Amino acid sequence: MITVTRPRILVVGAGFAGVGCVRRLERKLSPDEAEITLVTPSSYQLYLPLLPQVASGVLTPQSIAVSLRRSRRYRTRIIPGGAIGVDLSSKVCVVRTITDKLHNEPYDYIVLAPGSITRTFDIPGLTDNAYGMKTLAEAAYLRDHVISQLDLADASQDPDERAARLQFVVVGGGYAGTETAACLQMLTHNAVKRYPRLDPHLIKWHLIDIAPRLMPELGEKLGTDAQEILRKRGIEISLGVSIAKAGPEEVTFTDGRVIPTRTLIWTAGVVASPLISTLGAETVRGRLAVTAEMNLPGNDGVFALGDAAAVPDVAKDEEGAVCPPTAQHAMRQGKVVADNVIAALRDQPLRPYRHKDLGLVVDLGGRDAVSKPLGVELKGLPAMAVARGYHWSALRTNVAKTRVMTNWLLNAVAGDDFVRTGFQSRTPAKLKDFEFVHAYLTPEQVRAQVEGKGPADGSAE
């Protein structure tokens, strides 16, 4: 008897790129045409652009965590874990499951969409003392932490401690950092009204970035408008400045200033997942060098996209231009790479990824926003309507859209609440506790694991 096995398609990562690819594969491939497997630690897709609104309490965590198992066409096998190495020659991906076991997952076609991690530098004390904003847990923890600083300052009899707890530092003048500072500043501004013993003028937010302008992609006018909005709300913006040292109770800026604080939030950019370095392939600034069709040269059946891949931007007349690591590109790349996997499966020609940027939206909380849809510069209420309309339409399911819209309406009518959940009060939540950069294998360890020798720090499954 001859047994015919279905081709195995392995997708790594459940971000915008990975989920977009999986959903299209499920729609366009019949069940007997291929077996689809997804590697992800959590069985949900996180809508990252709305994370600052979770940190500020405008949205509940569940509203931006879109379940992967709600789809009517759902048939993908999900491996709960993270890919920590890929052996291209053997066509095997090494996965560390959430139970910390190593598992060898063979594939015929692989789509690498592992996303990115927070970019850090060799700054003394940074990973030990700074908070990140890349995961749902970090956003929820950060909200509890900020409110707890108000509680502790209100209870303190020491004026120096009170002042330190009411100073907050955000590093990173990109979209994530700017929106985080804006949303959390609004949270503390509204919350302090419930603390009659605290002087509102003691609450100080610092937004710093080494670049000369905030969000330079917005252009000079909108970037200046955003800075003016934040400064009017009391946020102190320092450009051309970074962190020289981070301690548990103070932060030293590169211009020599020392800020007493218990809250340092680091959002200074991202770098491609360390998984990419395990392939031993060519990279462009850490991102995997791929063709416009998003396949890896010299490796049939290997595709990469999103934050982890340097996808050529063929829509620009600029040599060496690559697509920026944004959700907008990742969502659209996911669909194109799924079509290319199907084309490879059916021996059809691949098509290049081409997409013109639709613009940028920045929600600064409340009625404040700046947006640039299709090159049209907006600020205030029109910009806020465009920003929220874009985010709402980009949510993948009607359930998620309903939850987000309900949260927005409830917040508009009832205002903020300032309750600490306390779920993670005893759990470490600094940068070093979330990135897991040491979990990845070297190319030599990947080869040893695939050959059955196994690395010393894990057990084969």
Side-chain angles (χ1 to χ4, degrees), residues 5-12 25 33-39 77 79 83-95 103-113 275-276 278-281 288 295-304 341 344-345 446-447 450:
T5 58
R6 295 176 296 169
R8 298 161 297 188
I9 302 173
L10 180 64
V11 179
V12 175
L25 290 172
E33 205 169 353
E35 176 185 327
I36 306 169
T37 301
L38 176 65
V39 177
R77 168 175 163 247
I79 300 177
I84 58 172
V86 178
D87 188 327
L88 297 175
S89 60
S90 300
K91 291 195 171 186
V92 171
C93 178
V94 181
V95 179
H103 167 69
N104 295 344
E105 183 65 25
Y107 63 85
D108 297 299
Y109 300 88
I110 188 169
V111 177
L112 297 169
L275 176 67
I276 298 305
T278 71
L279 275 67
L288 194 63
N295 65 321
L296 184 63
N299 291 269
D300 293 337
V302 179
F303 298 84
V341 170
L345 191 65
V446 173
R447 169 55 56 184
V450 170

Side-chain angles (χ1 to χ4, degrees), residues 49 52-53 56 58 173-187 207 214-215 218 222-231 233 235 237 361-371 378-380 383-385 387-388 391:
Q53 294 193 32
S56 64
V58 173
Y175 304 114
T178 303
E179 289 186 333
T180 297
C183 291
L184 286 175
Q185 183 276 335
M186 184 160 284
L187 170 67
L207 175 60
L214 291 184
M215 302 174 290
L218 281 175
L222 279 185
T224 302
D225 288 341
Q227 289 187 47
E228 188 62 26
I229 290 170
L230 297 180
R231 284 195 169 115
R233 282 165 45 177
I235 298 177
I237 299 171
V361 295
V362 182
D363 193 330
L364 299 175
R367 298 182 178 183
D368 293 328
V370 290
S371 300
L378 302 171
K379 66 177 181 177
M384 188 270 283
R388 294 203 171 183
H391 290 317

Side-chain angles (χ1 to χ4, degrees), residues 118 251 258 404:
T118 302
V251 173
V258 178
V404 166

Side-chain angles (χ1 to χ4, degrees), residues 17-65:
V19 172
C21 174
V22 166
R23 287 293 174 252
R24 197 168 183 89
L25 290 172
E26 289 178 329
R27 285 195 300 270
K28 301 189 76 171
L29 285 176
S30 62
D32 60 349
E33 205 169 353
E35 176 185 327
I36 306 169
T37 301
L38 176 65
V39 177
T40 174
S42 305
S43 58
Y44 62 79
Q45 177 194 358
L46 180 63
Y47 191 80
L48 275 171
L50 291 178
L51 211 54
Q53 294 193 32
V54 170
S56 64
V58 173
L59 299 176
T60 60
Q62 188 181 9
S63 62
I64 68 167

Side-chain angles (χ1 to χ4, degrees), residues 4-5 18 27 36 43 54 71 137 145 195 260 265 271 275 324 341 346 360-361 365 371 385 426 436 459:
V4 179
T5 58
R27 285 195 300 270
I36 306 169
S43 58
V54 170
S71 171
H145 171 79
Y195 295 83
I265 304 169
V271 294
L275 176 67
V341 170
R346 297 172 179 172
L360 305 164
V361 295
S371 300
R426 304 289 181 182
F436 305 113
S459 56

Side-chain angles (χ1 to χ4, degrees), residues 387-457:
R388 294 203 171 183
Y390 174 79
H391 290 317
W392 185 82
S393 64
L395 291 165
R396 193 172 49 79
T397 68
N398 289 330
V399 172
K401 290 179 179 180
T402 302
R403 284 179 176 151
V404 166
M405 183 60 72
T406 301
N407 284 176
W408 279 339
L409 292 173
L410 183 61
N411 181 261
V413 173
D416 298 308
D417 67 69
F418 313 107
V419 176
R420 285 187 290 119
T421 63
F423 292 147
Q424 302 176 88
S425 59
R426 304 289 181 182
T427 304
K430 302 296 174 65
L431 280 173
K432 67 176 182 179
D433 303 308
F434 280 93
E435 296 297 354
F436 305 113
V437 293
H438 301 298
Y440 296 86
L441 305 181
T442 64
E444 294 74 23
Q445 288 175 318
V446 173
R447 169 55 56 184
Q449 170 65 23
V450 170
E451 291 177 350
K453 299 174 183 178
D457 61 341

Side-chain angles (χ1 to χ4, degrees), residues 101 130 157 191 237 245 278 282 306 368:
K101 299 292 185 180
Q157 301 296 325
I237 299 171
K245 184 170 63 174
T278 71
E282 182 184 352
D368 293 328

